[in-house]
Each structure stands twice: as C-alpha cells, then as structure tokens.
Amino acid sequence: MQLGRAGLAWAAALLLAALGAQAAAGDFDPYRVLGVGRSSSQADIKKAYKRLAREWHPDKNKDPGAEDKFIQISKAYEILSNEEKRANFDRYGDAGESQGYSQHQHRQFHHFHEGFYFDESFFHFPFNSERRDSSDEKYLLHFSHYINEIVPDSFKKPYLIKITSDWCFSCIHIEPVWKEVAQELEALGVGIGVVHAGYERRLAHHLGAHSTPSILGLINGKITFFHNAVVRENLRQFVENLLPGNLVEKITDKNYIRFLSNWKKENKPHVLLFDHMPVVPLLYKLTAFAYRDYLSFGYVYVGLRGTEELSSQYNINVYTPTMMIFKEHTDKPADVVQARDMKKQLIDDFLSQNKFLMVARLTNQRLFQELCPVKKSHRQRKHCVVLLTGEGEKFAEAYETFLAFAVANTKDTLKFVHIYNDRQPEFADALLMDEEKYRGKSAVVILERRNNAGKIAYKTLEDAWQGSNEDNFILLDLLDQLRTDPGLLSSETVLADLNDELAPMFLIRWLYSMLDYISDCWDSVFHSNWREMMPLLSLLFSALFILFGTVIVQAFSDSSDARDSPPSEKEETAAKTEKNDASFSKESNRIPKKGFVEVTELTDINYNSNLVRLRPGHMNVVLILSNATKTALLQKFALEVYTFTGSSSLHFSFLSLDKHREWLEYLLEFAQDAAPIPNQYDKHFLERDYTGYVLALNGHKKYFCLFKPHRSGDEGGTLGSCEDYDSSLHTETRGKSSCSPGSRSIKNKLHKLSFWMERLLEGSLQRFYIPSWPALD
C-alpha cells in the first residue's frame, strides 16, 4: 500500500514537471511585451498597446530594432485582445490551436500511465484519453468544414453528430455504444461527426449544444436533437426517423403496374427491391434518399401473400435479395443485380449507371446540364440528340420510333432526350428557325453545348421527324459524319434556361415550410431547454411588440393627427403638383419627408443599433463636435444634409469629442494621413481639433468615408485635410491658423458638405476599411 502511494506521488511529481516544462517552452510572453499584468483589463491592455505602438512605430522611431519590437507589440496585442487566445495562453502557454497541445498532453498521460502500469479502472479517471478518443479522430468537425461541406452533403445523406468534451464522464459511459453504432451506420451510408466543445466552441454554440454529451441528427440542413437513452436500437430508430416517410413505396400485385407506369409522369426510372424482410431495410431507405432526385423506389416483401404474381412474372429468387431498374418498358427490367449481401458500394455502382431514362425528357436546366455537359476537350465531346415534339396520341408514333432508334444506338458520347415544345417554347423557338415547316410535327436536333452561358452549336434535320426508315438512315448518317467532322454543327445560338416543369406550386412549398416550422416548434416545446427555446420566444415577443407597439400606436396617432390638423389649401395644392410632376416623382427618394432633420447623439446605449448592427445598405452620417461648438455646428449640419433626409438608407448622428476622443482617434488611424502616429514627446497631441469632421459609417461592411473641415480659399477642401498634421497640433501657439475657430466662423467648417454628400451617394468617395468596430466606451 505504501509502495502504491509512493508511486502515485512520483506520478504526480512527474506530471507537474511535464506541465512546467511545457509552460516554460514558450519564450514569447505577451504580458511581458506589453508591460501589463495577467489580471489587466482590456482597457489597460489597449492603452499599453497604443502607447508602445506610438513609441516604437518604425516611421517615428529610427532605432534599428524598432521594426522587430513593433511586430512583437502587435503580436502581443493580437493575443491579449482576443479572449479565446488569451485564455489559451493562460492555460497552455500557447495562443495557437489548443488541440495540438491537448494531444501532446494526452500522449504524456499515455506514456506515463504505461510506464507505471496504473490501472485506470481503479481510479475511474480518463488517463488513457488518447486511446479512448482515437476512434473519433477521423470524425472530428471544424466550423468551416461543417458549413462548407457537411451542411450541403446533408441533402444527400443524414448525419449523426456527437458533442463531447474533456473530463466528461458521461461521454465515457456512452462511448462503447457510440463506437459500435457509428461503425454500423457509416457502412450503411450515414455521415458521422464528432464535435469537441472545448476546441470548437463556436461550432457547438452554432449547433445549439449547451451540454455534453449531446447527440443530434442533421438532414437537409436541419438539426434534430436525440433525447432518448443511448442504446443501439434507439440510435438506429432516430436516424430512420430523420428520413422522409414517403421515400419507398410498398409494392404488391395490385399496385406494381401503376407504380412502374409512373415513369412518364415523373420522368424517372423506377427501382424495385425484392427481399424477404418484412420491413424496408435502412440501407435501402438511405439509398432512396440519396437518389430521390433521379429515381423512384419501391419495395416488395416476397414473403407476403399478394406478391406471388409479381415474383413469378420477373422470375425472382425469393431467397436472394434482387434489385431491378425499369425505364420506358415496364414489361422487362433495364438492368438487374442480385446478391446475398447487398453492400452500399454495390448498390451505388448499380444505380449511378442507371440514373436516367433511355430518352429522358428535359424538364429543368439541371437535368439538361447533366445529360448534355459542356465539352472539355476534343476527346471528351458529347452530343445530345433532341426530339422536339408535342404531347398526345398524335405524336406517340414519332416518339416510339425515336426511342427505338436510341435503344439501338446507345453510346457513351451520345445522349438521346426529348422535349415538349408547348412546355419549353423558348428552347424550341431557338432551335427551329422555320416554325411553319415543323408546325404540328416533330423535329430532331443534334447539339453540343459550348459553355455554361447557354451557347450551343447545332444542326436541325431538314425534314420533320416521322419515324420512317428514311428518317432513321438520315439521322444515322449524320451521327457517323459527326464522329469525324465536328464542323457539321454549323449553326450557333444561345439558349435560355429551361423552365422547371415539375417544381411544386408556391402555395404547396409554403405549406410544406409551415408544417416543418410547426414540427420544429412542437419538438422544441417538449424536448428543448429554455436556452434552446430563446430564439422562438424572441421571435414571439418581437411579433407582439411590432403588433401592439407599432401598428396600434401608429393607427391612433394617424387618426388623432387627422382630427386635430386638417390639411390646408397650400398643402393640398402642393400634393396635387407632386402627383402631376413626372420628373419630380423620379427623384422622390431624395425628397425630405419632414420639415426638420433628425440628428441623434451616438452614445453607449444606441451604439450597437445605430452602427454595429446597422442593416446592410444603410449608413450613419456622424458629425464630430464639442460642447462649445455644438449649437453652431448642428445648425449648419442640418442645413447641409436636409436635402438628403428623404433617403431611408441614411441616418444622421453627432458624436461628442469631449467624451469619445479616444474612439475617434482609433478610427482615424485607419484613414491615410488622417491621424498619423505622433511623436511620444509631442505634448499637443491631445489638443488636436477634430470638430467639424464628418464620418459616413457603414456598419455592415465595416468601412467609413471621411469629410474634413473646409479650408477657406481651397476648392478641394472638402476632401483634403484642414492642414497638415504637425501644424494642426499647435493650436495654442498658432491661434491664427486656418483651422482654428478664431480665424473663421465655426459654421464654415461644414462648407460644401452637401457636395461631399452627393459623392457619398454616388459611391465615388474613398473608403477606409477596419477589422471591427471598437467599443464606444
């Protein structure tokens, strides 16, 4: 027992030594570089950075090591200004990815454990975390990988995702079940993912996983949480419930003819799986989901009474699973595969070779692009033979003969398709120049797509397609010539995109969306915690606020205004004049809607709503003033911008220089020569006069345009600086400078602001981009 305690003490000592060595490995200490303590606030760190940056900026400091020092200062500020990087440095001594260090730490635990032969089951502690998590390494997800690859791929297959973290004992408990189910479902075609909440907090928050372990399903970009006991049967059933319920139709002797005959209406081949299982296998459902845009699926339970005729007609071996694909002919399958153990790879290879009908109908642009791809090289030329026909018995014979020709001349470089002229009139009109010649008849066109913009080269058969032997010989001769003479396709045109004939109506799509949303809300009410319910509650209260706080109040205010102030004769005359003046109506978006300008102060309270979270396309025009110049500048500002208040995308505010000078100076550092870094010994730096500056801030795209006070006698003063930086600092000693308030009236600072506003709306002003909006406080 004493030996065991001594071994444990040695283990703890070695563990602390390893951690100490890891912490000492990093020579770069951002706290030491900036000269701040580990408990320093962000404001202290920012002040230290600005002071050191001004001191060691290479443009101001001629010391040979200034540039390296400045780089170290910037790197230190980058680490400490980011809370996540700062926490990683405090915890691991490294601000980079924590995962690499964590794995190194796990390796230390692993070798340490193996060296002393501890039994981790005795301690009930996850020393061997590397071995425990090794099966999850290939499934680890990152935020960009999830957004760019996993979400789009979820429209082809469902995903089962586990949220885990370090020191999660419940995660250890479910790991054996998870490992078994993940291997089983991955073989069937289910995507597997693992998110480590400690290293991928952003992704875990995006998924709505606020506790570990959590398991969720992802399909069609929609997330569903698993709420039952983590056992194999429940997880399989959970994945099966993610799939739509109408993927596979149960087929018997009574409905197989109707099912197979739907190929014409759905424009898809139909697949039948014959098996002796009473329920549809999960593998078959997953396959049906992956190929639902190309194929229709049916399942025949051969052990069920009522399928004997079907099994006998197609000579089915009831003891071996059999898969058949039917195309235009329902009396015999186009292809068959039979195997005792249907594997996913076998099924995928079989279906990928039979995704289209022999003569598919072009019902949308995506199908046209797949069947008739753009040529990539001379050896990869692919041509489409298109039958332009109509619907009904009148055109049935022409279609049947064209289908027979396609079956007899199937090649990899040729695709046979047909199209209904009435449903795709633009397509037909572009290819049939002589409409009268083909009116009421079918025509055949050979075409080759040249680019994705719709350009094609084509040749139309001179005579209408009747399906006679002569027509067959003519078409066959043209196809033979085409193999040696690509110039045979002498005509060129540009085709418009095809109409989507099979797309559901807007009302049906809206109904499906509403049902999905109601289903999500119902599931949230019964299973989600309050944190997951916050988006729904926020939406509900927002709707109530808009209803009662805007609509009703506006209705009462409009009615009271109408009673209290009837319109005057002048107002009625002006209203009639505006309605009759066509040229004035074109500029109505610039007409002032009110007799005054609404200018609000930019403060800590409204900073986020008026700038940081400003809607895309909107800008906030901010006037910089001080308490002494507030009244005069606001009056001039209102006169200059009054004609622009009709634009709903412009907002007008003012900023107090006495309160927020530091915020303004930080912003101006991103403008060229607007606020260069001064010398650290310049005592007049904090006295620089910024009153009269105007900033147009685009909160969504993170840029601003700058107006500087007008300099008398300078026509370009609206866009140039008032005077150079150094001369503007000494406002006390050079009181008669052109920028000082004593040399001209304060209002003249905003002279020609209206011309600057014109250029702002034209988009011709210089833009200064920033990485993020600084805090106003």
Side-chain angles (χ1 to χ4, degrees):
M1 186 65 178
Q2 292 178 353
L3 181 61
R5 291 179 178 177
L8 182 59
W10 271 102
L14 289 177
L15 175 60
L16 292 176
L19 293 176
Q22 179 70 23
D27 296 333
F28 182 77
D29 186 356
Y31 293 103
R32 178 174 50 80
V33 172
L34 293 183
V36 296
R38 290 184 175 268
S39 60
S40 299
S41 63
Q42 286 293 335
D44 296 335
I45 293 173
K46 184 177 181 180
K47 290 179 181 178
Y49 164 71
K50 293 188 69 174
R51 176 178 55 80
L52 292 173
R54 290 169 179 169
E55 177 182 352
W56 291 95
H57 196 281
D59 293 341
K60 299 295 182 180
N61 195 321
K62 302 306 179 182
D63 189 286
E67 184 175 356
D68 294 336
K69 182 67 174 178
F70 186 78
I71 293 175
Q72 287 189 353
I73 294 169
S74 301
K75 181 180 178 181
Y77 181 69
E78 179 184 0
I79 294 174
L80 298 184
S81 61
N82 186 301
E83 293 294 343
E84 183 175 354
K85 292 182 178 181
R86 183 179 180 181
N88 287 339
F89 182 83
D90 293 341
R91 186 179 298 115
Y92 306 119
D94 181 16
E97 292 292 334
S98 302
Q99 184 176 0
Y101 171 73
S102 178
Q103 292 177 353
H104 177 68
Q105 185 183 33
H106 291 336
R107 285 194 292 269
Q108 289 178 343
F109 283 137
H110 177 64
H111 297 317
F112 169 75
H113 165 59
E114 290 181 347
F116 285 88
Y117 301 100
F118 285 160
D119 184 5
E120 71 177 61
S121 61
F122 174 82
F123 297 100
H124 298 284
F125 199 72
F127 278 107
N128 200 2
S129 55
E130 181 188 10
R131 184 176 300 166
R132 174 175 58 86
D133 293 337
S134 59
S135 60
D136 290 340
E137 288 182 359
K138 66 176 181 178
Y139 303 125
L140 288 176
L141 300 180
H142 305 286
F143 186 82
S144 59
H145 177 226
Y146 172 82
I147 295 296
N148 298 324
E149 298 183 25
I150 301 300
V151 172
D153 198 40
S154 68
F155 289 84
K156 299 178 182 178
K157 63 181 180 182
Y159 273 82
L160 191 65
I161 301 176
K162 178 183 70 171
I163 315 296
T164 184
S165 65
D166 286 335
W167 319 116
C168 171
F169 294 96
S170 298
C171 301
I172 304 171
H173 178 72
I174 69 171
E175 184 178 342
V177 179
W178 168 262
K179 182 177 180 180
E180 177 187 359
V181 174
Q183 292 177 351
E184 178 184 357
L185 294 180
E186 187 180 24
L188 298 179
V190 178
I192 305 297
V194 176
V195 177
H196 200 295
Y199 307 139
E200 289 292 336
R201 287 192 291 270
R202 182 183 179 189
L203 178 54
H205 180 73
H206 176 79
L207 296 174
H210 305 292
S211 61
T212 55
S214 296
I215 296 178
L216 57 90
L218 175 69
I219 189 169
N220 292 331
K222 174 187 173 184
I223 297 172
T224 304
F225 276 86
F226 175 76
H227 299 287
N228 297 324
V230 182
V231 295
R232 176 180 176 275
E233 292 74 14
N234 289 345
L235 289 173
R236 280 181 58 93
Q237 189 62 42
F238 172 68
V239 171
E240 193 164 352
N241 291 339
L242 293 176
L243 300 170
N246 58 348
L247 287 173
V248 181
E249 183 177 353
K250 295 290 186 66
I251 304 300
T252 63
D253 293 339
K254 296 180 180 180
N255 63 355
Y256 81 94
I257 296 179
R258 174 193 58 77
F259 174 76
L260 297 178
S261 300
N262 278 341
W263 69 265
K264 194 168 188 178
K265 178 181 177 182
E266 299 176 0
N267 195 36
K268 296 178 182 178
H270 283 56
V271 185
L272 281 181
L273 175 64
F274 297 82
D275 203 350
H276 58 276
M277 300 292 293
V279 296
V280 182
L282 179 58
L283 172 61
Y284 194 56
K285 288 185 177 182
L286 294 168
T287 303
F289 179 76
Y291 291 91
R292 66 190 183 282
D293 293 335
Y294 302 96
L295 303 164
S296 293
F297 293 82
Y299 180 75
V300 181
Y301 172 33
V302 294
L304 179 67
R305 178 177 296 180
T307 60
E308 296 86 354
E309 178 184 346
L310 187 58
S311 301
S312 175
Q313 179 175 350
Y314 298 112
N315 194 23
I316 299 300
N317 183 354
V318 296
Y319 300 104
T320 304
T322 304
M323 185 176 291
M324 293 183 173
I325 287 187
F326 295 83
K327 297 185 178 180
E328 284 87 349
H329 301 108
T330 59
D331 56 337
K332 61 179 180 179
D335 204 353
V336 180
V337 63
Q338 194 174 59
R340 290 189 176 277
D341 188 12
M342 285 282 187
K343 297 291 186 181
K344 181 181 182 300
Q345 187 62 44
L346 174 65
I347 297 177
D348 287 343
D349 294 340
F350 178 68
L351 296 181
S352 60
Q353 298 174 5
N354 296 278
K355 290 167 54 177
F356 305 105
L357 296 170
M358 297 299 299
V359 183
R361 179 161 61 92
L362 298 181
T363 56
N364 54 58
Q365 185 67 18
R366 178 188 60 81
L367 189 60
F368 179 45
Q369 292 173 350
E370 288 195 54
L371 289 172
C372 306
V374 177
K375 72 165 187 175
K376 297 181 179 179
S377 65
H378 180 74
R379 295 183 178 181
Q380 295 179 340
R381 289 181 179 272
K382 290 192 177 182
H383 301 92
C384 272
V385 184
V386 186
L387 174 68
L388 303 172
T389 185
E391 300 181 70
E393 294 296 330
K394 178 181 177 181
F395 302 93
E397 183 179 355
Y399 169 77
E400 292 296 336
T401 54
F402 185 77
L403 174 61
F405 182 89
V407 173
N409 295 276
T410 301
K411 297 178 181 178
D412 293 338
T413 58
L414 286 178
K415 290 293 183 181
F416 294 87
V417 296
H418 73 286
I419 197 168
Y420 288 154
N421 297 340
D422 296 338
R423 300 194 183 189
Q424 304 290 349
E426 295 182 359
F427 189 94
D429 293 344
L431 297 178
L432 301 179
M433 304 300 294
D434 189 358
E435 297 182 6
E436 296 296 333
K437 182 178 180 180
Y438 301 100
R439 186 175 298 278
K441 299 179 181 179
S442 301
V444 172
V445 178
I446 306 173
L447 63 85
E448 178 185 50
R449 292 182 62 219
R450 294 293 173 84
N451 57 35
N452 292 319
K455 184 179 179 180
I456 65 166
Y458 71 98
K459 179 176 180 58
T460 306
L461 268 65
E462 295 182 359
D463 298 326
W465 177 266
Q466 301 292 337
S468 62
N469 291 334
E470 183 179 358
D471 292 340
N472 288 328
F473 287 134
I474 294 175
L475 180 57
L476 185 61
D477 183 57
L478 287 176
L479 294 177
D480 289 338
Q481 295 181 37
L482 190 61
R483 289 187 299 176
T484 58
D485 183 16
L488 185 66
L489 306 181
S490 55
S491 302
E492 291 187 350
T493 187
V494 177
L495 297 177
D497 289 350
L498 295 175
N499 304 322
D500 192 350
E501 300 177 12
L502 303 180
M505 294 188 303
F506 171 76
L507 183 61
I508 296 177
R509 286 181 294 177
W510 180 83
L511 181 61
Y512 286 156
S513 299
M514 284 297 299
L515 291 177
D516 290 340
Y517 185 73
I518 293 174
S519 176
D520 292 342
C521 295
W522 185 264
D523 182 70
S524 298
V525 169
F526 283 95
H527 295 109
S528 299
N529 55 36
W530 283 105
R531 184 177 294 182
E532 295 169 357
M533 286 287 293
M534 286 305 295
L536 179 61
L537 295 176
S538 176
L539 178 63
L540 179 62
F541 281 110
S542 298
L544 293 176
F545 176 78
I546 293 174
L547 176 63
F548 292 101
T550 305
V551 178
I552 297 178
V553 173
Q554 186 67 31
F556 278 108
S557 62
D558 290 345
S559 60
S560 62
D561 292 343
R563 289 194 304 268
D564 297 340
S565 56
S568 63
E569 294 182 0
K570 293 183 179 180
E571 292 174 345
E572 293 178 355
T573 304
K576 292 179 181 178
T577 304
E578 291 177 2
K579 292 180 180 178
N580 296 332
D581 192 349
S583 63
F584 187 76
S585 64
K586 294 180 181 179
E587 301 293 334
S588 59
N589 61 336
R590 293 283 301 278
I591 299 173
K593 300 179 180 179
K594 299 178 181 180
F596 58 91
V597 182
E598 293 183 359
V599 185
T600 59
E601 183 178 3
L602 199 62
T603 63
D604 299 342
I605 298 176
N606 60 12
Y607 180 72
N608 284 335
S609 59
N610 286 0
L611 176 58
V612 179
R613 298 176 182 173
L614 203 61
R615 288 178 294 175
H618 287 239
M619 299 189 74
N620 196 343
V621 181
V622 182
L623 169 67
I624 308 301
L625 49 76
S626 61
N627 292 334
T629 61
K630 181 176 182 180
T631 304
L633 285 179
L634 278 178
Q635 291 177 355
K636 181 63 175 177
F637 181 74
L639 290 175
E640 291 287 330
V641 303
Y642 175 72
T643 57
F644 303 92
T645 56
S647 176
S648 59
S649 62
L650 292 179
H651 309 270
F652 301 94
S653 304
F654 69 91
L655 185 76
S656 174
L657 187 62
D658 302 322
K659 300 178 183 178
H660 306 294
R661 172 182 290 270
E662 185 178 357
W663 180 87
L664 178 63
E665 290 176 353
Y666 172 83
L667 209 64
L668 292 180
E669 289 178 1
F670 292 93
Q672 297 178 358
D673 298 330
I677 298 177
N679 190 284
Q680 61 175 327
Y681 303 108
D682 195 336
K683 64 180 180 180
H684 298 289
F685 174 74
L686 297 179
E687 300 173 3
R688 188 179 187 193
D689 184 18
Y690 292 107
T691 58
Y693 276 50
V694 179
L695 290 82
L697 309 174
N698 190 314
H700 179 67
K701 293 187 176 181
K702 297 184 179 64
Y703 72 81
F704 65 92
C705 301
L706 179 63
F707 171 89
K708 300 178 188 177
H710 174 71
R711 180 168 59 192
S712 58
D714 181 10
E715 295 299 328
T718 56
L719 300 178
S721 63
C722 176
E723 53 181 314
D724 63 13
Y725 179 81
D726 293 331
S727 62
S728 67
L729 297 177
H730 307 288
T731 55
E732 292 181 357
T733 60
R734 300 176 62 181
K736 295 183 180 181
S737 123
S738 60
C739 285
S740 63
S743 65
R744 65 173 187 269
S745 65
I746 295 176
K747 292 184 178 181
N748 285 340
K749 287 190 172 187
L750 300 180
H751 184 53
K752 293 188 178 182
L753 176 62
S754 58
F755 295 102
W756 183 83
M757 292 291 298
E758 288 284 355
R759 294 188 60 185
L760 175 66
L761 294 181
E762 293 172 0
S764 59
L765 291 177
Q766 183 179 6
R767 298 177 179 180
F768 304 103
Y769 288 87
I770 64 173
S772 62
W773 293 112
L776 192 61
D777 58 351

